[in-house]
């Protein structure tokens, strides 16, 4: 059955059903008359007609669901029904149309049924989609499942079972699969790594069932009696010392309430079995409240505020925590409820850890659907400088991204020689060098060149939806800057993109965002009615001078091709500020660890996934104005973005040429060099 045949079949069924309904309605009107007592023969005929009508309705409903299901799967996967389904012979794999949204109830209901009729199998559901995929060891189990189902001879390839999903019953259809699981859903929400219940990482200790279920229940009840503090995306409680987000530290001079008594037994066990006198006793606790879909960005706890061992206890629900080393080693560990995780040594000081923002995890071939999770993170406050064995990550021992690559003993000697296209930005081609040489001959006069137009403006306009999809979490230090501003401050976000910083403050400042890309501005507007944005060029801001208290410019200045244009853009920021106003500016760092550069003026590729691209561009039938390449392996169209990556001290030197400002602070953050500049005069 082709996709067109499935669609035509669906239309024919709907027409036929409408005709049948009209006939049956007239039949009923002729046989039932007001006030007339029907004979037994007439009642029997009426019941038969009703039964036939119900049967026809059932057949119609199943035909419609089957045809529509085949059509939806084909459209979603971008394959023909013949590529996806085996209509003529049995296979060891099945598609299941559960018509839900791929949540826990769909998974459990289908899995329990298949277990009951065929035994061992692997079920994969796809979050947000109404179908799944079942894998068996052999064809016989798949046949056993199909043979257990109901069917109508009138409907070809229709095998179904009425299943109850919580309180709702709906027919669930099964079809033999012609394709493998690896052939489908590669770019969907289910494309995430599989975790283990045991991983090997230096300094990581882990134990399941560290506390009993009864003690877990008591802790949860007592925690919920306490007052929660609300952050942008979750709730927290702090004890001993308050954790300061944004700078990932604590206020050592401001002690808070002590760790609650109901945790005494847990603390004693941790002290005896984990701390073992190797550091002072735990005296700081952060309790985090996570709901399905919540996560935390990759980070490692800063060195100076805390002693070495950090202890995490998970309650109520399991979750996957991911670990990544500087050598790009990745580990994914499932933390079940009542488990304890201890971070020490290398994994504490030199590995990033994170929790992905999703509602389901894959764990050793099975699915774990997240529920509310509460984590207890215990630390010991450190009152002396950190002298750990990992100075290349240690702020107390001269951490500097410039030298980190050279001095990091974790890296193999040939690390930088590896051709890793995700990290290494290739040197310019002769054509690209010619473009840059031509730009240097142009007198810009505060206006963008053809390079900015072609390799910045047009590219971001094109990749906006995909780009926005990858930019959702505010960086802590930028969020901290905004939350620390005076109430009532008027703040400009220049180059606001999809607007992720426009709503991450305390709600007592007023922000207006601008961006050169109309498509990014449209995405920013979708964040809510309170978001104030419009399209503008940061080289010529449409605001009168000296009106804003503060401004931020995140990842914008590095897109200009000449020093004159970079200075002009910074001057525009200063022009709109009041005297005494402060601006926060971020630019990409040449010395960053996320990517490796051999030169400062580079063209960085953006792999625009095919689903975001015009089909005619993917097929090469039309070409956009800017340079592109088709990457068939990654199923993407590659666009080039121009960057001037700044070396250490270069941004400060550039600002030193501007007379009416001073630098209040400069530092490195998230692969960027950062400055805070203050306007000192008009």
């Amino acid at each position: 059955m082709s996709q067109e045949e499935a669609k035509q079949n669906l239309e024919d069924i709907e027409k036929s059903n409408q005709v049948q309904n009209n006939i049956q309605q007239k039949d009923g009107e002729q046989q039932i008359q007001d006030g007339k007592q029907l004979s037994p023969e007439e009642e029997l005929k009426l019941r038969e007609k009703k039964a036939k009508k119900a049967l026809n309705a059932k057949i119609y409903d199943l035909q419609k669901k089957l045809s529509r299901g085949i059509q939806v799967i084909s459209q979603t996967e971008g394959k023909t029904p013949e590529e996806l389904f085996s209509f003529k012979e049995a296979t060891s794999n099945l598609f299941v149309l559960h018509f839900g949204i791929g949540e826990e109830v769909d998974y459990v209901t289908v899995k329990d049924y298949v277990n009951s009729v065929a035994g061992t199998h692997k079920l994969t559901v796809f979050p947000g989609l109404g179908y799944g995929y079942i894998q068996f060891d052999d064809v016989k189990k798949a046949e056993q499942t199909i043979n257990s189902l109901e069917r109508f001879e009138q409907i070809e390839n229709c095998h179904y079972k009425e299943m109850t999903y919580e309180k709702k019953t709906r027919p669930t259809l099964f079809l033999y699969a012609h394709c493998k699981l690896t052939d489908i859903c590669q770019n969907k929400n289910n494309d995430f790594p599989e975790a283990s219940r045991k991983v090997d990482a230096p300094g990581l200790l882990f134990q399941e069932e560290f506390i009993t279920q009864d003690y877990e229940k008591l802790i949860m009840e007592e925690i919920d009696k306490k007052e929660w503090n609300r952050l942008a995306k979750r709730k927290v409680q702090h004890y001993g010392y308050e954790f300061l987000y944004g700078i990932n530290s604590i206020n050592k001079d401001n002690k808070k309430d002590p760790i609650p008594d109901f945790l005494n037994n847990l603390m004693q066990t941790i002290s005896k079995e984990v701390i073992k006198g190797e550091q002072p006793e735990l005296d700081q606790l952060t309790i985090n409240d996570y709901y399905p879909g919540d996560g935390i960005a990759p980070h490692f706890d800063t060195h100076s505020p805390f002693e070495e061992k950090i202890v995490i206890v998970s309650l109520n629900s399991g979750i996957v925590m991911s670990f990544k080393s500087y050598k790009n080693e990745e580990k994914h560990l499932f933390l079940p409820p009542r488990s304890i995780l201890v971070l020490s040594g290398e994994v504490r000081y030199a590995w990033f850890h994170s929790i992905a923002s999703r509602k389901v995890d894959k764990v050793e071939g099975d699915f774990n659907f997240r529920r509310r999770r509460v984590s207890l993170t215990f630390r010991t406050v450190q009152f002396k400088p950190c002298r750990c064995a990992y100075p290349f990550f240690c702020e107390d021992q001269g951490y500097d991204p410039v030298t980190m690559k050279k001095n990091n003993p974790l890296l193999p000697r040939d690390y930088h020689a590896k051709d890793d296209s995700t990290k290494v930005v290739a040197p310019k081609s002769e054509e690209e060098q010619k473009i840059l040489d031509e730009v240097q001959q142009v007198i810009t006069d505060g206006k963008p060149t053809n390079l900015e137009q072609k390799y910045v403006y047009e590219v971001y306009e094109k990749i906006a939806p995909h780009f926005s999809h990858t930019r959702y979490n505010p960086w802590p230090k930028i969020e901290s800057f905004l939350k620390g501003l005076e109430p009532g401050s008027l703040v400009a976000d220049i180059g606001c993109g999809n607007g992720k910083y426009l709503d991450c403050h305390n709600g007592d400042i007023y922000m207006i965002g601008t961006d050169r890309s109309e498509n990014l501005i449209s995405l920013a507007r979708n964040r809510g009615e309170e978001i104030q944005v419009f399209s503008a060029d940061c080289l010529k801001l449409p605001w009168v001078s000296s009106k804003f208290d503060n401004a931020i410019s995140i990842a914008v200045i590095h897109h200009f091709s000449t020093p004159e244009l970079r200075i002009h853009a910074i001057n525009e920021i200063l022009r709109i500020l009041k005297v005494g106003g402060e601006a926060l500016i971020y630019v990409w760092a040449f010395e960053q660890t996320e990517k490796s550069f051999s030169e400062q003026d580079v063209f960085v590729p953006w792999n625009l996934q095919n689903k975001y691209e015009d089909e005619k561009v993917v097929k090469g039938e039309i070409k956009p104005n800017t340079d592109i390449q088709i990457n068939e392996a990654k199923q993407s169209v590659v666009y080039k973005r121009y960057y001037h990556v700044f070396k250490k001290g270069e941004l400060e030197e550039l600002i030193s040429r501007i007379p009416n400002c001073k630098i209040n602070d400069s530092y490195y953050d998230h692969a960027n060099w950062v400055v805070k500049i203050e306007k000192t005069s008009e």
Side-chain angles (χ1 to χ4, degrees):
M1 184 189 297
S2 69
Q3 192 167 331
E4 290 73 18
E5 288 172 333
K7 186 176 181 181
Q8 184 61 49
N9 188 23
L10 184 60
E11 293 173 354
D12 292 344
I13 291 168
E14 290 175 341
K15 291 177 182 177
S16 173
N17 187 71
Q18 185 60 47
V19 171
Q20 185 68 28
N21 282 344
N22 292 339
I23 293 172
Q24 289 175 345
Q25 185 177 359
K26 291 177 180 177
D27 258 352
E29 290 171 354
Q30 290 172 359
Q31 293 216 17
I32 301 173
Q33 299 178 9
D34 290 341
K36 181 181 178 181
Q37 183 67 38
L38 298 179
S39 67
E41 292 80 7
E42 289 173 327
E43 286 184 1
L44 179 60
K45 287 182 179 180
L46 182 60
R47 284 198 296 270
E48 288 174 348
K49 284 184 178 291
K50 287 182 177 179
K52 185 177 181 181
K53 181 178 180 180
L55 179 63
N56 287 337
K58 179 71 173 178
I59 292 173
Y60 163 74
D61 183 60
L62 286 171
Q63 285 178 318
K64 184 176 180 180
K65 286 183 180 295
L66 179 63
S67 297
R68 182 165 290 165
I70 290 173
Q71 185 180 359
V72 166
I73 297 176
S74 298
Q75 289 175 343
T76 304
E77 299 299 342
K79 298 178 182 293
T80 65
E82 288 75 20
E83 292 175 299
L84 294 167
F85 307 102
S86 178
F87 295 115
K88 301 299 182 182
E89 60 183 28
T91 67
S92 59
N93 302 317
L94 301 175
F95 274 101
V96 54
L97 281 158
H98 53 74
F99 300 106
I101 55 172
E103 292 192 321
E104 183 174 13
V105 63
D106 305 312
Y107 178 77
V108 172
T109 304
V110 173
K111 190 171 185 64
D112 286 350
Y113 176 76
V114 178
N115 265 334
S116 69
V117 297
T120 306
H121 67 286
K122 180 180 179 181
L123 169 65
T124 301
V125 294
F126 311 123
L129 299 178
Y131 59 90
Y133 189 92
I134 306 172
Q135 297 167 279
F136 294 100
D137 296 334
D138 54 54
V139 177
K140 289 182 180 179
K141 288 185 178 180
E143 290 180 312
Q144 198 172 336
T145 301
I146 291 292
N147 292 336
S148 72
L149 303 169
E150 303 170 55
R151 62 169 310 196
F152 285 108
E153 294 297 332
Q154 300 95 317
I155 315 175
E156 191 177 3
N157 296 310
C158 178
H159 304 88
Y160 76 98
K161 180 71 176 178
E162 294 287 347
M163 294 186 185
T164 301
Y165 298 82
E166 291 181 341
K167 296 180 180 180
K168 186 174 182 180
T169 299
R170 59 178 184 259
T172 302
L173 294 97
F174 296 76
L175 298 98
Y176 287 112
H178 179 66
C179 62
K180 297 179 181 179
L181 179 63
T182 52
D183 296 329
I184 64 172
C185 289
Q186 295 307 296
N187 295 315
K188 307 296 188 309
N189 292 337
N190 70 302
D191 187 19
F192 46 85
E194 189 157 315
S196 173
R197 291 177 177 269
K198 184 178 180 180
V199 302
D200 183 20
L204 186 149
L205 302 173
F206 173 68
Q207 180 181 328
E208 295 191 29
E209 298 298 334
F210 190 75
I211 62 175
T212 65
Q213 288 189 13
D214 289 341
Y215 192 22
E216 176 190 39
K217 182 179 178 182
L218 182 148
I219 294 174
M220 289 290 295
E221 290 173 350
E222 293 296 326
I223 284 174
D224 280 334
K225 293 177 184 177
K226 302 288 186 179
E227 183 178 353
W228 290 95
N229 297 319
R230 293 190 176 275
L231 301 179
K233 295 190 176 180
R234 64 180 186 272
K235 297 186 298 183
V236 298
Q237 295 178 23
H238 296 291
Y239 297 97
Y241 295 85
E242 182 180 6
F243 190 84
L244 302 176
Y245 295 94
I247 60 173
N248 294 330
S249 186
I250 56 168
N251 186 350
K252 297 178 182 178
D253 298 324
N254 184 18
K255 295 198 69 172
K256 295 184 70 68
D257 294 339
I259 297 174
D261 292 341
F262 61 82
L263 293 172
N264 283 346
N265 290 341
L266 177 58
M267 295 275 288
Q268 290 171 7
T269 306
I270 293 173
S271 178
K272 181 180 178 181
E273 299 184 14
V274 177
I275 302 302
K276 300 177 182 179
E278 295 172 0
Q279 69 186 44
E281 294 300 325
L282 303 168
D283 57 5
Q284 195 275 333
L285 167 65
T286 296
I287 303 177
N288 285 294
D289 194 14
Y290 296 93
Y291 279 82
D294 292 346
I296 52 174
H299 71 287
F300 54 84
D301 286 50
T302 48
H303 295 199
S304 57
F306 307 110
E307 297 281 352
E308 178 176 351
K309 291 186 176 181
I310 294 176
V311 180
I312 302 169
V313 177
S314 297
L315 305 175
N316 202 62
S317 177
I319 205 164
V320 168
M321 182 173 284
S322 299
F323 299 87
K324 187 173 184 179
S325 76
Y326 187 71
K327 293 181 287 187
N328 276 339
E329 299 171 280
E330 287 195 55
K331 312 281 185 178
H332 306 280
L333 175 64
F334 177 60
L335 308 178
R338 300 178 298 283
S339 66
I340 186 171
L341 173 69
V342 183
L343 304 180
S344 63
E346 184 179 311
V347 79
R348 148 74 166 109
Y349 289 120
W351 286 52
F352 292 93
H353 59 272
S354 62
I355 296 174
S357 298
R358 56 177 180 255
K359 295 184 178 182
V360 61
D361 296 306
K362 292 181 191 174
V363 184
E364 296 181 348
D366 210 343
F367 279 70
N368 173 69
F369 290 86
R370 298 181 186 177
R371 296 186 175 94
R372 180 197 181 197
R373 172 181 177 260
V374 171
S375 69
L376 311 177
T377 302
F378 295 95
R379 306 177 180 93
T380 300
V381 174
Q382 183 169 241
F383 290 92
K384 61 183 184 300
C386 179
R387 291 294 178 261
C388 67
Y390 306 90
F392 46 90
F393 277 126
C394 184
E395 60 274 14
D396 278 349
Q397 300 184 72
Y399 163 70
D400 184 348
V402 177
T403 60
M404 186 171 64
K405 289 183 182 180
K406 299 177 183 178
N407 299 337
N408 189 340
L410 296 182
L411 283 178
R413 290 186 178 181
D414 64 343
Y415 178 77
H416 295 294
K418 294 180 181 179
D419 183 18
D420 183 353
S421 61
T422 65
K423 288 181 66 68
V424 178
V425 177
K428 295 185 295 294
S429 65
E430 290 185 11
E431 181 184 353
E432 290 167 345
Q433 185 62 56
K434 183 180 178 182
I435 293 169
L436 281 170
D437 290 342
E438 290 174 354
V439 166
Q440 303 308 314
Q441 308 302 316
V442 175
I443 300 175
T444 59
D445 194 26
K447 297 178 181 178
T449 69
N450 288 335
L451 185 148
E452 282 83 19
Q453 182 65 40
K454 188 173 182 180
Y455 294 97
V456 181
Y457 302 158
E458 291 179 9
V459 172
Y460 277 100
E461 199 70 358
K462 185 67 182 177
I463 70 174
H466 187 199
F467 178 82
S468 177
H469 184 70
T470 67
R471 302 298 194 272
Y472 46 87
N473 282 332
W475 291 348
K477 289 188 178 180
I478 301 173
E479 186 173 8
S480 177
F481 173 81
L482 294 172
K483 288 183 175 180
L485 298 179
E486 289 290 327
S489 295
L490 181 61
V491 185
D493 184 350
I494 301 165
C496 66
N498 66 356
K500 72 175 182 178
Y501 291 111
L502 295 173
D503 53 6
C504 71
H505 48 83
N506 291 326
D508 53 4
I509 64 174
Y510 303 94
M511 292 194 70
I512 302 176
T514 71
D515 199 279
R516 186 66 168 68
S517 167
E518 292 279 3
N519 288 336
L520 284 173
I521 286 294
S522 295
L523 292 166
R525 288 195 182 101
N526 292 336
R527 300 181 73 90
E529 294 181 359
E530 72 283 358
I531 297 297
Q532 301 294 317
V533 290
F534 64 93
S535 178
D537 190 332
C538 68
L539 293 173
K540 192 175 182 181
L541 294 170
W543 285 313
V544 296
S545 302
S546 307
K547 289 298 181 184
F548 285 84
D549 299 290
N550 299 93
I552 61 173
S553 171
I554 312 301
V556 176
I557 306 296
H558 53 223
H559 283 308
F560 291 113
S561 57
T562 68
E564 291 74 24
L565 285 174
R566 296 166 207 146
I567 289 174
H568 187 92
I570 296 171
N571 263 320
E572 272 294 275
I573 295 172
L574 290 167
R575 181 185 64 78
I576 66 168
L577 287 179
K578 298 176 182 177
V579 173
E582 191 175 56
L584 183 70
I585 299 176
Y586 273 60
V587 295
W588 270 22
F590 177 82
E591 300 86 357
Q592 64 177 273
T593 59
E594 282 77 357
K595 294 186 182 295
S596 182
F597 306 100
S598 60
E599 50 196 355
Q600 288 186 263
D601 291 290
V602 291
F603 291 85
V604 180
W606 179 274
N607 282 276
L608 182 65
Q609 295 175 5
N610 286 350
K611 65 181 180 179
Y612 291 101
E613 183 56 276
D614 187 325
E615 187 176 351
K616 291 183 178 180
V617 174
V618 175
K619 293 180 178 179
E621 296 175 8
I622 62 172
K623 281 193 173 184
N625 293 332
T626 189
D627 293 342
I628 65 163
Q629 292 176 328
I630 305 297
N631 188 329
E632 294 183 359
K634 290 188 175 182
Q635 294 188 324
S636 65
V637 177
V638 184
Y639 286 84
K640 298 175 184 177
R641 296 173 295 160
Y642 167 77
Y643 283 81
H644 173 82
V645 285
F646 282 69
K647 288 188 175 180
K648 184 179 182 181
E650 183 181 351
L651 184 56
E652 291 90 333
E653 190 278 330
L654 196 70
I655 293 171
S656 70
R657 305 186 206 176
I658 303 173
N660 61 331
C661 67
K662 67 175 183 178
I663 297 174
N664 288 337
D665 196 7
S666 61
Y667 53 90
Y668 178 87
D669 182 38
H670 276 80
N672 284 257
W673 291 118
V674 187
V675 294
K676 291 180 182 178
I677 59 172
E678 179 185 334
K679 182 175 180 177
T680 56
S681 62
E682 293 292 354

